[in-house]
Coordinates of all heavy atoms in Angstrom, one line a residue:
E782 N -4.5 -14.6 8.9 CA -3.8 -13.5 8.4 C -4.7 -12.4 7.9 O -4.5 -11.2 8.1 CB -2.8 -13.9 7.3 CG -1.7 -14.8 7.8 CD -0.7 -15.2 6.7 OE1 -1.1 -14.9 5.5 OE2 0.4 -15.7 6.9
E783 N -5.8 -12.8 7.2 CA -6.8 -11.8 6.7 C -7.4 -11.1 7.9 O -7.6 -9.8 7.8 CB -7.8 -12.5 5.9 CG -7.3 -13.0 4.6 CD -8.4 -13.6 3.7 OE1 -9.6 -13.5 4.1 OE2 -8.1 -14.3 2.7
E784 N -7.7 -11.7 9.0 CA -8.3 -11.1 10.1 C -7.3 -10.1 10.8 O -7.8 -9.0 11.2 CB -8.7 -12.1 11.2 CG -10.0 -12.9 10.8 CD -10.4 -13.9 11.8 OE1 -9.5 -14.6 12.3 OE2 -11.6 -14.0 12.1
V785 N -6.0 -10.4 10.8 CA -5.1 -9.4 11.3 C -5.1 -8.1 10.5 O -5.1 -7.0 11.0 CB -3.7 -10.0 11.3 CG1 -2.7 -9.0 11.9 CG2 -3.6 -11.3 12.2
L786 N -5.1 -8.3 9.1 CA -5.2 -7.1 8.3 C -6.5 -6.4 8.4 O -6.5 -5.2 8.3 CB -4.9 -7.5 6.8 CG -3.5 -8.1 6.5 CD1 -3.3 -8.3 5.0 CD2 -2.4 -7.1 7.0
M787 N -7.6 -7.1 8.6 CA -8.9 -6.5 8.9 C -8.8 -5.6 10.1 O -9.5 -4.6 10.2 CB -10.0 -7.5 9.0 CG -10.4 -8.2 7.6 SD -11.7 -9.4 7.8 CE -11.8 -10.0 6.2
Y788 N -8.1 -6.1 11.1 CA -8.0 -5.3 12.3 C -7.3 -3.9 12.0 O -7.7 -2.9 12.5 CB -7.2 -6.1 13.4 CG -7.0 -5.4 14.7 CD1 -8.1 -5.3 15.6 CD2 -5.8 -4.8 15.1 CE1 -7.9 -4.6 16.8 CE2 -5.7 -4.1 16.3 CZ -6.7 -4.0 17.2 OH -6.6 -3.4 18.4
L789 N -6.2 -4.0 11.2 CA -5.5 -2.8 10.8 C -6.5 -1.9 10.0 O -6.5 -0.7 10.1 CB -4.3 -3.1 10.0 CG -3.2 -3.9 10.6 CD1 -2.0 -4.0 9.7 CD2 -2.7 -3.3 12.0
L790 N -7.2 -2.6 9.1 CA -8.1 -1.9 8.2 C -9.2 -1.1 8.9 O -9.6 0.0 8.5 CB -8.8 -2.9 7.2 CG -9.5 -2.4 6.0 CD1 -8.6 -1.7 5.1 CD2 -10.2 -3.6 5.3
A791 N -9.6 -1.6 10.0 CA -10.7 -0.9 10.8 C -10.1 0.5 11.2 O -10.9 1.5 11.2 CB -11.0 -1.7 12.1
F792 N -8.9 0.6 11.6 CA -8.3 1.9 12.0 C -8.0 2.8 10.8 O -8.2 4.0 10.9 CB -7.1 1.6 12.9 CG -7.4 0.9 14.2 CD1 -7.4 -0.4 14.3 CD2 -7.8 1.7 15.3 CE1 -7.7 -1.1 15.4 CE2 -8.1 1.0 16.5 CZ -8.1 -0.4 16.6
L793 N -7.5 2.2 9.7 CA -7.2 2.9 8.6 C -8.5 3.6 8.0 O -8.4 4.7 7.4 CB -6.6 2.0 7.5 CG -5.1 1.7 7.8 CD1 -4.7 0.5 6.8 CD2 -4.2 2.9 7.6
N794 N -9.6 3.0 8.0 CA -10.8 3.5 7.5 C -11.7 4.2 8.5 O -12.8 4.5 8.3 CB -11.7 2.4 6.8 CG -11.2 2.1 5.4 OD1 -10.6 3.0 4.7 ND2 -11.4 0.9 5.0
S795 N -11.1 4.6 9.6 CA -11.8 5.2 10.7 C -11.9 6.7 10.5 O -11.2 7.3 9.7 CB -11.1 4.9 12.1 OG -9.9 5.6 12.1
K796 N -12.8 7.3 11.3 CA -13.0 8.7 11.3 C -11.7 9.5 11.7 O -11.4 10.6 11.2 CB -14.1 9.1 12.2 CG -14.5 10.6 12.2 CD -15.8 10.8 13.0 CE -15.7 10.3 14.4 NZ -17.0 10.7 15.2
Y797 N -10.9 8.9 12.5 CA -9.7 9.5 12.9 C -8.7 9.7 11.8 O -8.1 10.8 11.6 CB -9.0 8.6 14.0 CG -7.5 9.0 14.2 CD1 -7.2 10.2 14.9 CD2 -6.5 8.1 13.8 CE1 -5.9 10.5 15.1 CE2 -5.2 8.5 14.1 CZ -4.9 9.6 14.7 OH -3.6 10.0 14.9
V798 N -8.6 8.7 10.9 CA -7.7 8.9 9.7 C -8.3 9.9 8.7 O -7.6 10.6 8.1 CB -7.5 7.5 9.0 CG1 -6.7 7.7 7.7 CG2 -6.7 6.6 10.0
D799 N -9.6 9.9 8.6 CA -10.3 10.9 7.8 C -9.9 12.3 8.3 O -9.6 13.2 7.5 CB -11.8 10.8 7.8 CG -12.3 9.9 6.6 OD1 -11.6 9.8 5.6 OD2 -13.4 9.3 6.8
Q800 N -9.9 12.5 9.6 CA -9.5 13.8 10.1 C -8.1 14.1 9.9 O -7.7 15.3 9.6 CB -9.8 13.8 11.6 CG -11.3 13.8 12.0 CD -11.5 13.5 13.5 OE1 -10.6 13.2 14.2 NE2 -12.8 13.8 13.9
L801 N -7.2 13.1 10.0 CA -5.8 13.3 9.7 C -5.6 13.7 8.2 O -4.8 14.6 7.9 CB -5.1 12.0 9.9 CG -3.6 11.9 9.6 CD1 -2.8 12.9 10.5 CD2 -3.0 10.5 9.7
L802 N -6.3 13.1 7.3 CA -6.2 13.4 5.9 C -6.7 14.8 5.6 O -6.1 15.6 4.8 CB -7.0 12.4 5.0 CG -6.5 11.0 5.0 CD1 -7.5 10.1 4.2 CD2 -5.1 10.9 4.4
S803 N -7.8 15.2 6.3 CA -8.3 16.6 6.1 C -7.3 17.7 6.5 O -7.3 18.8 6.0 CB -9.6 16.8 6.9 OG -9.4 16.8 8.2
E804 N -6.4 17.3 7.5 CA -5.4 18.3 7.9 C -4.2 18.3 6.9 O -3.5 19.3 7.0 CB -4.9 17.8 9.3 CG -5.9 17.9 10.4 CD -5.5 17.2 11.7 OE1 -4.3 16.7 11.7 OE2 -6.2 17.2 12.6
K805 N -4.1 17.3 6.1 CA -2.9 17.2 5.2 C -3.3 17.6 3.7 O -2.4 17.6 2.9 CB -2.4 15.8 5.1 CG -2.0 15.3 6.5 CD -0.8 15.9 7.1 CE -0.3 15.3 8.4 NZ 0.9 16.0 8.9
I806 N -4.5 18.0 3.5 CA -4.9 18.3 2.1 C -4.1 19.5 1.5 O -3.9 20.5 2.2 CB -6.4 18.6 2.0 CG1 -7.3 17.3 2.1 CG2 -6.8 19.4 0.8 CD1 -8.7 17.5 2.2
S807 N -3.7 19.3 0.3 CA -2.9 20.3 -0.4 C -3.6 20.9 -1.6 O -4.0 20.1 -2.5 CB -1.5 19.8 -0.8 OG -0.8 20.7 -1.6
K808 N -3.7 22.2 -1.6 CA -4.4 22.8 -2.8 C -3.5 22.6 -4.0 O -4.0 22.6 -5.2 CB -4.6 24.3 -2.5 CG -5.6 24.6 -1.4 CD -5.8 26.1 -1.2 CE -6.9 26.3 -0.1 NZ -7.1 27.8 0.1
K809 N -2.2 22.5 -3.9 CA -1.3 22.3 -5.0 C -1.6 21.0 -5.7 O -1.3 20.8 -6.9 CB 0.1 22.3 -4.5 CG 0.6 23.6 -4.0 CD 2.1 23.5 -3.6 CE 2.6 24.8 -3.0 NZ 4.0 24.8 -2.6
R810 N -2.2 20.0 -5.0 CA -2.5 18.7 -5.6 C -4.0 18.5 -5.8 O -4.5 17.4 -5.9 CB -2.0 17.6 -4.7 CG -0.5 17.5 -4.7 CD 0.0 16.2 -3.9 NE -0.3 16.3 -2.5 CZ 0.5 16.8 -1.6 NH1 1.7 17.2 -2.0 NH2 0.2 16.8 -0.3
G811 N -4.7 19.7 -6.0 CA -6.1 19.6 -6.2 C -6.9 19.2 -5.0 O -8.0 18.6 -5.2
G812 N -6.4 19.4 -3.8 CA -7.1 19.0 -2.6 C -6.9 17.5 -2.3 O -7.7 17.0 -1.5
Y813 N -5.9 16.9 -2.9 CA -5.7 15.5 -2.6 C -4.5 15.3 -1.6 O -3.6 16.2 -1.5 CB -5.3 14.7 -3.9 CG -6.6 14.5 -4.7 CD1 -6.9 15.4 -5.7 CD2 -7.3 13.3 -4.6 CE1 -8.0 15.2 -6.5 CE2 -8.5 13.1 -5.4 CZ -8.8 14.0 -6.3 OH -9.9 13.8 -7.1
V814 N -4.4 14.2 -0.9 CA -3.3 13.8 0.0 C -2.6 12.7 -0.6 O -3.2 11.7 -1.1 CB -3.9 13.5 1.4 CG1 -2.7 13.2 2.3 CG2 -4.7 14.6 1.9
I815 N -1.3 12.7 -0.6 CA -0.5 11.5 -1.0 C -0.4 10.6 0.2 O 0.1 10.9 1.3 CB 0.9 12.0 -1.4 CG1 0.9 12.9 -2.7 CG2 1.8 10.8 -1.7 CD1 2.2 13.4 -3.1
I816 N -0.7 9.3 -0.1 CA -0.6 8.3 0.9 C 0.8 7.8 0.9 O 1.2 7.1 -0.1 CB -1.6 7.1 0.7 CG1 -3.0 7.6 0.7 CG2 -1.4 6.1 1.8 CD1 -3.5 8.3 1.9
N817 N 1.6 8.1 1.9 CA 3.0 7.7 1.9 C 3.5 7.4 3.3 O 2.7 7.5 4.3 CB 3.9 8.8 1.3 CG 3.8 10.1 2.0 OD1 3.3 10.2 3.1 ND2 4.1 11.2 1.3
E818 N 4.7 7.0 3.5 CA 5.2 6.5 4.8 C 5.1 7.7 5.8 O 4.9 7.5 7.0 CB 6.6 6.0 4.7 CG 7.1 5.4 5.9 CD 8.4 4.6 5.8 OE1 8.8 4.4 4.6 OE2 9.0 4.2 6.8
T819 N 5.4 8.9 5.4 CA 5.4 10.0 6.3 C 4.0 10.2 6.9 O 3.9 10.4 8.1 CB 5.8 11.3 5.5 OG1 7.1 11.2 5.0 CG2 5.7 12.5 6.5
L820 N 3.0 10.0 6.1 CA 1.6 10.1 6.6 C 1.3 9.0 7.5 O 0.7 9.2 8.6 CB 0.6 10.1 5.4 CG -0.8 10.2 5.8 CD1 -1.2 11.6 6.3 CD2 -1.7 9.7 4.7

Side-chain angles (χ1 to χ4, degrees):
E782 291 181 349
E783 289 183 12
E784 286 179 314
V785 179
L786 293 185
M787 286 180 184
Y788 182 76
L789 300 185
L790 193 61
F792 295 91
L793 284 168
N794 277 334
S795 69
K796 182 168 61 176
Y797 167 68
V798 172
D799 269 333
Q800 292 171 347
L801 177 65
L802 293 175
S803 69
E804 295 169 1
K805 303 291 184 181
I806 283 176
S807 171
K808 293 181 180 179
K809 293 181 180 179
R810 291 187 292 269
Y813 288 89
V814 180
I815 296 179
I816 304 297
N817 55 24
E818 186 171 351
T819 301
L820 178 74

